[in-house]
Amino acid sequence: MAKVGDLGKKFRKEWSARSKPEAIIRAMITIEPHIKKALRIIILAQCAGLLVNILFNNGFVLAYLSRLGIPSYRILFLLSLLPLSGLIFTLPFAYASDLFGKKRIGLCGLIISTLGLILLMAAGSCGIHSTKIATAGIVVISLGTTAFAASWFALLSPIVPSEIRGRFFGTLRISWQLVGIVFTLTVTTLLTVFTQLRFFQYVLLLVLVGALLRIHLYRKLPELETESSTSKSLLDSLIGILQTPGYLPFCAYTFLLTLFTGAMPWVLALLGKDVLFFSDSHILMMGNFRAGGAVAGASGYERIPAEP
């Protein structure tokens, strides 16, 4: 018991020391200029490009699909394609990024998701074919987003110094989520005035500009690890991952954590639309409350101690 107490005291001391602002400042001073530039690019790129994901999370895409005349059960299925794609294709895309380059796979994913966004925007002008075009757009966005996400953190790992890793990722998450909250509030306010389907397409066009800007910024990021780190087959890699100590209990934990919460925002938004007859602006405001809670939670990232 004494040893456990000593370990606890040591951890708290280390946590406190690494969380002090002066420790972070000292770490920032030693960062090379090209790394500082890369860190700024990362934050700007995510603030511009993650508006696509925000549209799925804040209820905008749900309201847009409803405007296209798509029934609620199909809307819920289409919104589930994004996490379903992550479940099925994350490992294959991650394996491909190890073989062909993280930045190359990530850039391909960004381009693919941008093409899907164009299809989704065009669905509003396709009449009787709008459901098919919107479905195709969401499928393409899901695949592109998965390809990008599969290589994103592996690309950032050698760029972000370990001394400020927790604080940086906390700042990154809070930054793009604050942009999303302001963006959603603006769209919510405008939706009370402009209720036409064309307005939804204009919002998607604005998000498309942000996606193109992220592609431009992403190309400026350095890839510090260019050599392939694996010589195993995909199946051998999967078996190796499953044998990692603590991995399966962690999977069980995340499964239970998201079992009832993963799709609940969409279910509640559909209930608000179909049962309570919420307007589009009310649905987006519900999504904004969720984003506010996420920002509050992400503020704790900055307290995570750096790696020794």
Side-chain angles (χ1 to χ4, degrees), residues 61-74:
V61 172
L62 184 149
Y64 177 61
L65 296 176
S66 180
R67 285 298 188 93
L68 297 179
I70 300 176
S72 296
Y73 72 90
R74 185 170 294 177

Side-chain angles (χ1 to χ4, degrees), residues 6 24 29 46 68 111-112 124 128 143 170 178 184 222 242 279 304:
D6 292 340
I24 301 299
I29 293 175
Q46 291 299 82
L68 297 179
I111 294 173
I112 291 171
I128 60 174
L143 291 174
L178 284 177
T184 302
L242 294 177
S279 65
I304 298 176

Side-chain angles (χ1 to χ4, degrees), residues 285-305:
M285 186 57 66
M286 289 174 58
N288 228 16
F289 289 145
R290 178 193 177 197
V295 169
S299 62
Y301 286 14
E302 299 185 3
R303 297 288 298 173
I304 298 176

